[in-house]
Amino acid sequence: MKAIIFNGSLERRTLSTSGLISDYFSERLKTLGIHTNIFTLADSGIPLFDVTLNKTPLAVERMTQMFTDADLHIWLAPLYHGSIPGVMKNCLDWLEVTANRYEPYLTDKTVGLVCWADGLQAMQGINAMDSIAKSLRAWPLPFSVPIVRSSLFTDEQSTQISDLYSDKFDKLISIAASKKIAISD
C-alpha cells in the first residue's frame, strides 16, 4: 500500500504545526509497512490553475503522479477564514489534467481528513475537503479529525502531540490502513 500525506499549508518553519502533524502520520504509517510520501504544498512549485496552457507544468505532472499512485491520502489543512487555504484547493484543481484517463481524478482513493483552527470551527475545513474529495471520486473516511489548536500539543512550548490527538490520529490511521472501524473499549 502507498500513502501520501498532503500538507496543504504554506508553513515552512521546521517545527510548524503542519510539519509536526505530517511527520506524526508519516512515522505511524511507515511502522505499518505503508510506503509513505509527504507532499508539502509550500515546496511544490504548483502554479495557479490555468486550463489554457498548452503543456502541463512539470510540478503538476509530478503532483498528479504522486496523488494517483497513492492508495491512501491523508489531507492536512489549517482553517483560513472558514475554509481550507486557496492554494490547497488550487493544487487539487490541477487534478483536472487526469480527466481523460480511464480512472480520472482520485477514483476510489481513500482519503483521511485533518483540519486545525484556533477555535472550534475546524469542522468547516473538514466539510470543504470532504466535498472536494467526493467531487474527485475519492472515498473520504467516515472518521476525521477536527483540531482545536490550543489542545494539539502537550503544552504551549511543546512540539509533542497531546494524547487526545495522538489517539484520534491513530484511530484515523487504523481505519485507513484496515478500512474497518474497530470498536474501542
Side-chain angles (χ1 to χ4, degrees):
M1 178 183 278
K2 289 183 181 178
I4 187 166
I5 299 163
F6 179 23
N7 177 348
S9 171
L10 288 180
E11 294 179 299
R12 286 197 165 103
R13 292 175 289 117
T14 306
L15 298 177
S16 67
T17 298
S18 61
L20 293 167
I21 296 172
S22 294
D23 290 345
Y24 183 92
F25 275 94
S26 179
E27 289 171 19
R28 291 288 206 258
L29 289 166
K30 286 176 183 176
T31 63
L32 296 174
I34 298 171
H35 177 76
T36 305
N37 287 310
I38 298 174
F39 182 83
T40 303
L41 189 54
D43 299 327
S44 69
I46 300 294
L48 290 175
F49 181 58
D50 184 353
V51 293
T52 65
L53 294 177
N54 293 329
K55 184 166 175 21
T56 303
L58 183 58
V60 172
E61 288 179 10
R62 288 181 183 145
M63 180 273 298
T64 56
Q65 190 67 51
M66 287 178 72
F67 277 51
T68 57
D69 282 352
D71 308 295
L72 167 63
H73 289 230
I74 304 292
W75 292 0
L76 311 174
L79 187 75
Y80 291 160
H81 308 289
S83 191
I84 62 172
V87 293
M88 183 177 187
K89 174 68 167 65
N90 175 72
C91 183
L92 292 166
D93 287 342
W94 272 108
L95 288 167
E96 187 62 28
V97 301
T98 68
N100 293 325
R101 293 183 182 175
Y102 176 71
E103 290 187 338
Y105 312 111
L106 299 177
T107 300
D108 292 332
K109 305 298 181 184
T110 301
V111 182
L113 306 172
V114 177
C115 184
W116 59 94
D118 286 333
L120 299 172
Q121 308 86 355
M123 198 62 203
Q124 290 174 236
I126 299 286
N127 290 337
M129 289 187 289
D130 181 81
S131 178
I132 294 164
K134 288 175 181 171
S135 295
L136 292 170
R137 303 179 186 181
W139 295 95
L141 292 172
F143 181 81
S144 56
V145 185
I147 299 168
V148 177
R149 194 174 180 302
S150 62
S151 300
L152 178 58
F153 300 107
T154 54
D155 61 46
E156 291 301 320
Q157 300 300 319
S158 180
T159 57
Q160 181 178 347
I161 294 175
S162 68
D163 289 343
L164 171 69
Y165 285 108
S166 64
D167 289 346
K168 290 180 183 207
F169 292 169
D170 291 346
K171 183 172 185 172
L172 179 68
I173 291 166
S174 174
I175 294 167
S178 67
K179 296 189 181 179
K180 295 180 187 174
I181 301 174
I183 300 172
S184 44
D185 297 333

